[in-house]
Amino acid sequence: MRRRLNGLVAVVSAVGMTAVLAGCGGSGDQGDVTLRLVAADYGDTAANSSQKYWDALVEEYEKEHPGVNVDVSVYSWNDVDRKVKEMVAAGRAPDMAQIGAYADYAAADQLYRVDDLLSIPVQADFVSRLAEAGQVDRVQYGMPFASSTRVLFYNKTLFARAGLKAPKSWSDLAAAARALRAEGVETPYALPLGPEEAQAETMMWLLSGGGGYMDAVGNYGIDSEQNVDTFTWLKEELVDKGLTGPTPPGELNRADAFAAFARGEVGMLDGHPTLMKTAAAKGVKFGMVPMPGVDGKAKSAMGVADWMTAFKQNGHREQVGDFLDFVYSEKNVLAFSREYDLLPVTTSASEAMAADEDDQDLMPFLEELPGSELYPVGRTSWAEVSAAIKKQIGSAVAPNGNPEAVLGQLQRTATAADNAS
C-alpha cells in the first residue's frame, strides 16, 4: 500500500527473571513480557509519523494489560524490510514485523500461522481477497495491515479545456491523450515505468488488458498473448505518439509523476489514495474513475497490501495474539486507515468507512477492493521477479523496444526463480 505507504524494528526480550517464564516457544509465557515490534512509517512528516500512531495504541493497550509491554521501533519503507532481514539473520527476530513481504520467512518455518494467533472473529474479519493473498500453500501467515487500490486520476481543468469526459476504455483514453496534447499539455498520460514502482504500473495495465502476472492455473504468465497485446498497444498508441511526456517511461518514477500531476502538468495517471491529498493541497481539481479496459472498465483493479507477521523465535504466541486482536479492532483499523488515507483491511472497518459521509472520498478505491488482484506475494520467487520487472519493463516501450521479447525474458526469469524456490 505503497503508498508512502516507512518502518519499525523489533526484538523480543522478557522482562523479569527468566526462571519465572514458562512455555518458551509454546503457547506463551507467564509473568511480565516485552514484545518488540518492527513497523513501517506511513507518514510524510514528523507530525504524522507512524510512531505517534503506535505510541498512542500501545499506551492504551498497556493500561489494560499491565503484564505486557510493547516496544515499537519505526523505520522508513526504504529500510524496514532490510532491518528485519538483518535481525532475523542475526538470530534476533522481532516478535512482530509489519513489512512488505513474508513468503521467505514462512517458507523457512519462522512465522506463526495466523490461525494460531488470532481469535476466530478477528481472523474471519479480514477482507477475503487480502486474507487469501496472505497465504503460502493455502496456509495464512501474512496478516494484511494496510491496503489500497488504484484508479485513474484525471485533471478536471485540463479535461474541461479540451472538452473531454472521463475515459471508460482504451480508445477513450488514447483519444483524450491526443486532445490534451493538441491543447499543449506536455504529459497527457504519465506512464511511470521507472525503477521505483514499475511493477505496479505494469500490473495495472496487464489487468486492464485482461491478463496479469499469473495465468489461470496459478503459474507465471507474463508473456501471455493478452499481456503482449497490452504493451504493444501502450507503445504504439501512447508512447510512440508522444503522449506520455518528455521523460521516457522507463526513467519516470511514480513519485515524480505524482508531483507533476499535483503541479497541474499531467492530464491522466493511475494513482492511489494518497495522491488525493497531495493534489488537493496544490489546488488541482481532479476526478477519479476505474481503470479503463480494452472495451470498457477493466475487469480487475490492482490491489496492494502490506503485511503484519509474527515470528516464532521468542515464543510469546499468546501475548502476540492478544495484542494483534487489539490492533485489528474496528476502532484501531479505522483510525490508522483514516490517518494515512488507506483502505481498511477488515470487513467491519470497511463497512463503517463506507457508511461514514466523511470517508466518501475513499469510496472509488473501496469499491474496487473486493474484486482486486494483488501481487503474488505468497511466492518466494516474487521478490526476484519484481526486481526484474522494475529493471527491464521500461525497455518494452522504448523507441526500439520489443514488448514480446521483453515480456518473454521476464517470463523466463520468473519460471527459473519459481523453479529455484
Side-chain angles (χ1 to χ4, degrees):
M1 162 189 227
R2 268 180 359 237
R3 73 40 216 201
R4 169 171 194 58
L5 282 166
N6 306 340
L8 300 165
V9 175
V11 181
V12 179
S13 61
V15 176
M17 296 183 64
T18 305
V20 299
L21 300 179
C24 285
S27 62
D29 300 332
Q30 305 299 318
D32 287 356
V33 168
T34 294
L35 302 177
R36 300 192 186 273
L37 166 66
V38 178
D41 192 356
Y42 290 82
D44 51 16
T45 66
N48 71 343
S49 167
S50 293
Q51 188 73 57
K52 291 190 173 183
Y53 169 82
W54 285 110
D55 287 349
L57 183 147
V58 166
E59 181 180 6
E60 181 180 354
Y61 181 79
E62 289 178 345
K63 286 181 180 179
E64 300 174 5
H65 301 79
V68 180
N69 303 304
V70 184
D71 181 19
V72 180
S73 303
V74 176
Y75 292 89
S76 79
W77 270 110
N78 294 328
D79 299 324
V80 64
D81 287 282
R82 174 178 56 82
K83 290 283 188 180
V84 173
K85 186 175 182 179
E86 290 172 352
M87 293 172 68
V88 172
R92 299 183 294 106
D95 290 287
M96 295 162 283
Q98 185 265 301
I99 47 182
Y102 62 86
D104 284 350
Y105 301 124
D109 195 29
Q110 295 171 317
L111 301 179
Y112 283 118
R113 296 162 54 120
V114 174
D115 57 10
D116 286 335
L117 290 170
L118 301 181
S119 64
I120 292 175
V122 171
Q123 186 178 354
D125 197 26
F126 286 129
V127 174
S128 60
R129 182 72 73 173
L130 301 179
E132 291 168 5
Q135 296 178 357
V136 175
D137 295 331
R138 300 183 184 277
V139 177
Q140 187 180 356
Y141 295 94
M143 292 162 275
F145 183 76
S147 68
S148 71
T149 55
R150 301 292 199 269
V151 299
L152 183 73
F153 283 71
Y154 64 97
N155 184 309
K156 285 187 172 181
T157 302
L158 298 180
F159 264 59
R161 189 179 303 162
L164 297 170
K165 295 181 179 180
K168 297 180 179 180
S169 65
W170 283 5
S171 59
D172 290 347
L173 189 150
R178 292 192 297 269
L180 291 167
R181 191 74 186 90
E183 288 289 327
V185 177
E186 192 172 45
T187 305
Y189 178 84
L191 183 64
L193 296 177
E196 180 191 3
E197 208 180 20
Q199 84 286 0
E201 185 74 14
T202 298
M203 185 170 175
M204 282 182 278
W205 276 101
L206 297 185
L207 291 173
S208 75
Y213 286 133
M214 314 301 291
D215 63 21
V217 295
N219 297 317
Y220 284 107
I222 298 175
D223 63 346
S224 69
E225 181 179 354
Q226 296 100 316
N227 293 345
V228 171
D229 287 347
T230 294
F231 264 79
T232 299
W233 185 90
L234 274 174
K235 174 176 167 52
E236 294 178 353
E237 299 300 325
L238 294 184
V239 181
D240 289 352
K241 294 183 178 180
L243 302 177
T244 55
T247 303
E251 299 175 16
L252 181 64
N253 282 325
R254 184 206 61 194
D256 296 327
F258 278 20
F261 185 83
R263 293 193 300 268
E265 299 170 0
V266 173
M268 299 171 283
L269 84 172
D270 295 312
H272 52 66
T274 57
L275 181 57
M276 294 189 302
K277 183 180 294 184
T278 304
K282 297 290 187 178
V284 173
K285 295 180 180 179
F286 60 88
M288 300 178 294
V289 293
M291 179 67 182
V294 178
D295 298 314
K297 177 185 174 183
K299 292 181 176 61
S300 298
M302 189 189 79
V304 176
D306 301 320
W307 305 96
M308 179 69 76
T309 58
F311 286 86
K312 297 194 291 187
Q313 178 180 323
N314 303 296
H316 299 138
R317 180 175 64 83
E318 289 186 1
Q319 292 89 344
V320 169
D322 188 72
F323 176 67
L324 291 177
D325 273 359
F326 179 75
V327 168
Y328 284 106
S329 68
E330 179 182 318
K331 179 189 71 172
N332 289 328
V333 171
L334 275 173
F336 182 85
S337 302
R338 286 167 171 161
E339 176 66 27
Y340 299 107
D341 292 321
L342 295 167
L343 303 183
V345 296
T346 62
T347 300
S348 60
S350 296
E351 291 174 348
M353 179 174 281
D356 194 322
E357 292 185 1
D358 292 337
D359 294 318
Q360 293 309 295
D361 56 345
L362 286 169
M363 283 305 297
F365 302 93
L366 198 61
E367 289 169 352
E368 297 294 321
L369 186 59
S372 63
E373 296 287 340
L374 282 77
Y375 300 133
V377 291
R379 304 177 90 95
T380 56
S381 57
W382 171 242
E384 182 178 345
V385 175
S386 176
I389 293 168
K390 292 178 181 180
K391 183 177 181 180
Q392 300 175 34
I393 196 63
S395 64
V397 296
N400 296 317
N402 183 326
E404 184 174 9
V406 172
L407 293 174
Q409 178 57 53
L410 289 170
Q411 176 66 27
R412 290 189 288 275
T413 298
T415 301
D418 220 24
N419 290 337
S421 64

